[in-house]
Amino acid sequence: MVTKQDTDLARADSLAREIFSDVANKWAFLIIETLGDRTLRFSQLRNEVDGISHKMLTQNLRMLERNGLIEREVYPTVPPRVEYTLTEPGQGLRATVDSMCGWTRRFIEDIEAARRSFDG
Amino acid sequence: MVTKQDTDLARADSLAREIFSDVANKWAFLIIETLGDRTLRFSQLRNEVDGISHKMLTQNLRMLERNGLIEREVYPTVPPRVEYTLTEPGQGLRATVDSMCGWTRRFIEDIEAARRSFDG
DNA sequence: CCGAATCCACAACGATACTG
DNA sequence: CAGTATCGTTGTGGATTCGG
């Protein structure tokens, strides 16, 4: 028999997977890490997240906003100014990203060695 | 003047970004989470990481192996058996993935609400 | 059973141009 | 300055097949 709890769990699972798919990508991570606890404009992010295109930045900012990870503040000035800040859930994810940065620093030598050995 | 340290740092940075690009993707995360501290065969992973195709699993396993995050053990039996296990760096990254799983559980309600509000 | 290679549909991405 | 739309190219990922 399928209970209400079962369907709730199934729904939560599929939602969790969806969130994972959205968020577990390099641009999202780099944007979150770049924002940190600062508030930055679109163009500042564009400059600091290096290698990101206008389009990718826009797309990922929309996605992060949709998931409630960043807050988007529009100042109706001329020219317009738009600022982005991590929300509380966003800061929560930032801890994960930080942990990954720490991991990279810690194991970068091992990884480089593994690669050399694998490639050769 | 560009010192040796500068070039070393630049190299480490670009390497770090490369590692980020490799590893910060959903399949890698799901594989690592599924492996945990177990040793699993290809077909077991195929069954447990749900939705993953043969090809994606192969590609990501190669990538993880190249970066030294998993160990691949081949038993030359008929039919062949291949087993995968997280290495120490792999276990290190697992901590990051775990932290993201915890984050998802903690904020899933907020995220769902944010999405509804954004979509409507 | 595992993995590589092929083919192909479609999504991702960069560049560009246009709007408020 | 920020955002959207369009277009052309590249790349990703699934299905299938063949080989060890």
Side-chain angles (χ1 to χ4, degrees):
Chain A
M1 179 195 173
V2 176
T3 65
K4 178 167 183 308
Q5 282 77 7
D6 284 344
T7 60
D8 279 358
L9 278 174
R11 198 174 49 74
D13 268 18
S14 94
L15 181 60
R17 294 185 68 79
E18 215 181 298
I19 295 169
F20 236 75
S21 303
D22 268 11
V23 164
N25 86 69
K26 70 167 172 172
W27 291 130
F29 274 32
L30 290 171
I31 290 169
I32 287 167
E33 187 64 12
T34 301
L35 269 176
D37 44 24
R38 298 181 295 169
T39 292
L40 295 179
R41 304 179 56 164
F42 183 90
S43 49
Q44 294 178 303
L45 280 167
R46 179 90 166 80
N47 290 330
E48 292 202 28
V49 179
D50 90 33
I52 198 168
S53 69
H54 186 104
K55 188 179 185 179
M56 281 303 95
L57 183 54
T58 305
Q59 273 184 11
N60 278 276
L61 287 172
R62 283 303 152 275
M63 179 275 286
L64 293 172
E65 189 191 359
R66 180 170 111 90
N67 288 294
L69 273 52
I70 57 175
E71 201 202 333
R72 178 170 178 270
E73 185 91 14
V74 181
Y75 299 91
T77 57
V78 177
R81 195 168 89 250
V82 182
E83 295 183 341
Y84 297 92
T85 316
L86 290 180
T87 59
E88 195 207 334
Q91 289 290 349
L93 186 58
R94 187 185 160 207
T96 295
V97 180
D98 283 346
S99 117
M100 184 161 168
C101 291
W103 171 81
T104 306
R105 279 191 296 279
R106 175 158 173 218
F107 289 106
I108 194 164
E109 305 289 342
D110 302 77
I111 294 171
E112 201 179 6
R115 284 178 165 209
R116 266 199 305 272
S117 146
F118 187 94
D119 293 342
Chain B
M1 178 197 174
V2 176
T3 64
K4 177 166 184 309
Q5 283 78 7
D6 285 343
T7 60
D8 279 357
L9 279 174
R11 199 175 48 75
D13 268 17
S14 91
L15 180 59
R17 294 185 67 81
E18 215 182 296
I19 295 170
F20 235 75
S21 304
D22 267 12
V23 164
N25 86 69
K26 71 167 172 171
W27 291 130
F29 274 31
L30 290 171
I31 290 169
I32 287 167
E33 187 64 11
T34 300
L35 268 178
D37 45 23
R38 297 181 294 169
T39 292
L40 294 178
R41 303 180 57 168
F42 183 89
S43 47
Q44 293 178 302
L45 281 167
R46 180 88 167 78
N47 290 329
E48 291 202 28
V49 179
D50 92 29
I52 198 169
S53 69
H54 186 103
K55 187 181 183 177
M56 281 302 96
L57 182 54
T58 305
Q59 271 185 13
N60 279 277
L61 287 172
R62 280 307 147 276
M63 179 274 287
L64 292 171
E65 188 192 0
R66 181 169 109 89
N67 288 297
L69 272 53
I70 57 175
E71 201 202 333
R72 178 170 178 269
E73 185 91 14
V74 180
Y75 299 92
T77 57
V78 178
R81 195 168 88 249
V82 183
E83 295 184 341
Y84 296 91
T85 315
L86 290 180
T87 60
E88 194 206 334
Q91 290 290 349
L93 185 58
R94 189 186 158 204
T96 295
V97 180
D98 284 345
S99 116
M100 184 162 169
C101 291
W103 171 83
T104 306
R105 278 190 297 277
R106 176 160 172 214
F107 289 106
I108 193 165
E109 306 289 342
D110 302 77
I111 294 171
E112 201 179 5
R115 282 177 167 209
R116 266 199 304 271
S117 145
F118 186 94
D119 293 342

